[in-house]
Amino acid sequence: MKLLFKQRFFSWFDSYDIYNEAGETVYVVRGQLSWGHCLKIYDTDGSELGTVKERVLTWLPKFEMYLGDRYIGCITKEFTFFKPKFNIDCNGWSVDGNWLEWDYMIRDSRGQTVAAVSKELWNWTDTYTIDVSNPQDALCALMLVLAIDAEKCSRNN
């Protein structure tokens, strides 16, 4: 299953549309006013599915993930000098990627690829392709991509 993650050009807060291979909207992500990033994920009917929320006042960036109101894990940026590295406490997953963080893999505890993420260059807004092996993992994989993108955004500001 492929998802196209495309940030909206004009938006006061982080706002993304997530499309499937046929170009149909699958998820809508809306940022909310809060301390740190808070991204709510909705289905096409407007029902809230999940939340990615940045914990503030932490030494290194940390994002918590929720399915509905249920906490499912977090992603924390680790202290490194050159290659950014993330510690994931969700489903036994890990992230491996290049030094620009534009292309990376989400892997399970056995090393199998859960999702391959690549950033499309030469777009006006952040645009990623997320190739998810199992469609049941699509929402959690999207949440990790949102958290990594939000951390990069915070670091660049």
Side-chain angles (χ1 to χ4, degrees):
M1 171 181 198
K2 284 195 182 199
L3 298 174
L4 180 66
F5 164 121
K6 188 171 180 85
Q7 185 175 24
R8 292 185 185 154
F9 189 69
F10 293 107
S11 176
W12 289 104
F13 300 104
D14 293 330
S15 185
Y16 307 91
D17 293 315
I18 313 301
Y19 304 97
N20 63 13
E21 293 174 83
E24 303 163 329
T25 302
V26 180
Y27 304 110
V28 175
V29 180
R30 293 189 198 114
Q32 294 190 326
L33 181 62
S34 69
W35 291 102
H37 291 272
C38 182
L39 304 168
K40 299 277 187 177
I41 304 165
Y42 301 90
D43 65 13
T44 55
D45 296 326
S47 299
E48 185 179 320
L49 300 175
T51 303
V52 176
K53 187 174 183 176
E54 184 176 10
R55 293 262 323 258
V56 293
L57 304 175
T58 59
W59 175 250
L60 294 169
K62 181 176 185 174
F63 294 84
E64 295 177 334
M65 299 177 295
Y66 298 86
L67 285 178
D69 292 335
R70 185 173 56 91
Y71 174 83
I72 61 163
C74 67
I75 179 169
T76 308
K77 185 171 188 287
E78 293 182 9
F79 181 77
T80 58
F81 285 106
F82 299 108
K83 182 180 177 183
K85 187 167 171 71
F86 297 91
N87 181 26
I88 300 173
D89 178 24
C90 179
N91 297 336
W93 292 357
S94 63
V95 173
D96 298 319
N98 72 9
W99 66 276
L100 292 174
E101 302 169 76
W102 287 343
D103 298 301
Y104 54 91
M105 305 287 243
I106 301 171
R107 300 186 189 279
D108 65 15
S109 58
R110 297 170 297 158
Q112 300 295 314
T113 301
V114 174
V117 182
S118 60
K119 183 172 184 175
E120 294 183 8
L121 301 177
W122 318 115
N123 286 305
W124 289 101
T125 62
D126 287 344
T127 303
Y128 294 90
T129 300
I130 308 168
D131 190 2
V132 183
S133 301
N134 182 347
Q136 292 178 327
D137 294 329
L139 182 57
C140 286
L142 173 62
M143 294 169 100
L144 289 175
V145 174
L146 287 167
I148 292 170
D149 185 67
E151 187 280 327
K152 285 193 299 187
C153 209
S154 294
R155 187 173 0 122
N156 293 333
N157 286 339

